Amino acid sequence: MAQNTEKKSKLLGSGDIVVSFEFFPPKTEKMEETLWSAISRLAPLRPEFVSVTYGAGGSTRERTHATVTRLLKETELKPAAHLTCVDATKDEVNAVARQYWNEGVRHIVALRGDPANGAGAKYEPHPDGYKNAADLVAGLKKIGDFEISVAGYPEKHPESQTAEADLDNLKAKVDAGADRIITQFGFDNAHFLRYLERARAAGIWVPISPGIVPIHNFKQVAGFAKRAGASVPSWLARRFEGLEDDSATSHLVAAAVATEQVMDLVDEGIKKFHFYTLNRADLVYAICHLLGLRAARAANANAA
């Protein structure tokens, strides 16, 4: 009997893949409309959770809280609030966490956060604050039985001296109580797969979801990548070469690139993905469709 060698990505059905989405809090009324349009488009795909980012030094604290609160009140989505330790005392951070708990938020994305002076500046813990993400995770677990996600860096955090030190820091976050690792976005799957292997070898067994960012604007995303310590392969730059003034073709190329990346990871056995949506739904929705996800309404109609 012939063995079935069909790639896993060719056999995907509804329920095989689990996704989560990240949004950022809006600054203007127009951005607010864009955000909620994206949320309403993606919500029927029933993500495991949706996270809302938090600016350096608490610069978006109120907007993050407002977005998370609205998600709780107006949708059936499970929001995960980002929380950082930058420029805040333990009491201030704990107060935010307790407020989230009292409002029904049960999932926190615990991050050290970028220095208040921006990425690249030296990080200095607040003298009365949590010193790093592992310390924050431990503190949050004392407040409530939060589900806690933390960040992972397949190409190491820009401030880590070595990959080994970076992995030690990751293990400290998990040992402190983290339930899941979401990686910084990247474009070369080899980095993620090596990272996963090294994490497992170090005794880190919590789920590790690759972060995926569809490239709406290559120059902008390449800038994000540089600041986050993620490499941009030369082959990727070539794919967008000459498309600076051709957004339609750039959009098609971006869809092809992201789809190729996630399908390759599926073939490697990866089943969970975290999408950095940049508050835009179109590319993410299309990729999720190819991953076998179907909108709840369509699923219900089929059941009928």
Side-chain angles (χ1 to χ4, degrees), residues 212-217 236 239-240 243 247-263 275 282-288 290:
I212 305 292
V213 62
I215 303 173
H216 294 279
N217 179 313
L236 183 62
R239 290 190 179 184
F240 287 91
L243 297 178
S247 60
T249 306
S250 183
H251 213 60
L252 292 170
V253 171
V257 166
T259 302
E260 182 181 13
Q261 181 179 10
V262 297
M263 291 305 185
F275 288 95
D282 47 2
L283 283 178
V284 174
Y285 191 95
I287 295 160
C288 287
L290 292 170

Side-chain angles (χ1 to χ4, degrees), residues 24-274:
F24 62 85
K27 293 180 182 176
T28 65
E29 198 172 314
K30 185 168 173 39
M31 290 172 72
E32 179 99 7
E33 287 175 16
T34 302
L35 166 65
W36 288 95
S37 172
I39 289 171
S40 63
R41 174 83 166 127
L42 294 171
L45 295 176
R46 292 167 291 189
E48 185 176 16
F49 64 91
V50 296
S51 66
V52 183
T53 64
Y54 187 90
S59 59
T60 64
R61 181 183 295 171
E62 290 77 18
R63 295 201 302 274
T64 300
H65 182 262
T67 303
V68 169
T69 302
R70 187 173 168 188
L71 281 164
L72 271 176
K73 289 179 178 174
E74 298 182 17
T75 77
E76 294 180 9
L77 297 168
K78 293 180 180 176
H82 283 220
L83 196 55
T84 75
C85 355
V86 177
D87 277 8
T89 66
K90 287 185 180 181
D91 287 346
E92 288 169 337
V93 174
N94 291 349
V96 174
R98 286 194 188 94
Q99 185 177 8
Y100 276 132
W101 181 270
N102 292 338
E103 290 174 350
V105 176
R106 294 294 180 264
H107 188 169
I108 297 283
V109 180
L111 307 162
R112 188 203 72 182
D114 289 330
N117 293 329
K122 182 171 171 50
Y123 177 78
E124 295 288 351
H126 189 289
D128 297 317
Y130 289 109
K131 63 180 185 287
N132 55 29
D135 195 23
L136 174 59
V137 171
L140 289 171
K141 284 292 188 181
K142 290 175 186 171
I143 290 169
D145 189 21
F146 286 108
E147 179 180 355
I148 298 180
S149 295
V150 294
Y153 297 84
E155 297 176 71
K156 88 175 180 60
H157 191 281
E159 294 172 41
S160 291
Q161 295 298 312
T162 64
E164 289 69 30
D166 196 67
L167 199 63
D168 287 345
N169 185 49
L170 182 69
K171 191 164 192 318
K173 290 189 275 191
V174 174
D175 289 347
D179 301 286
R180 173 194 294 99
I181 297 160
I182 300 168
T183 74
Q184 178 56 264
F185 68 81
F187 304 105
D188 185 341
N189 288 344
H191 290 303
F192 173 78
L193 294 169
R194 276 197 298 269
Y195 185 70
L196 183 61
E197 192 174 306
R198 290 176 58 243
R200 299 305 185 223
I204 298 169
W205 292 106
V206 298
I208 303 178
S209 300
I212 305 292
V213 62
I215 303 173
H216 294 279
N217 179 313
F218 179 76
K219 187 176 178 182
Q220 181 188 51
V221 171
F224 291 159
K226 186 176 181 182
R227 292 193 293 275
S231 60
V232 178
S234 56
W235 59 261
L236 183 62
R238 280 199 303 276
R239 290 190 179 184
F240 287 91
E241 211 169 66
L243 297 178
E244 294 79 9
D245 300 316
D246 186 348
S247 60
T249 306
S250 183
H251 213 60
L252 292 170
V253 171
V257 166
T259 302
E260 182 181 13
Q261 181 179 10
V262 297
M263 291 305 185
D264 179 54
L265 287 170
V266 169
D267 288 331
E268 293 288 346
I270 306 304
K271 294 186 175 181
K272 287 193 174 192
F273 295 90
H274 184 74

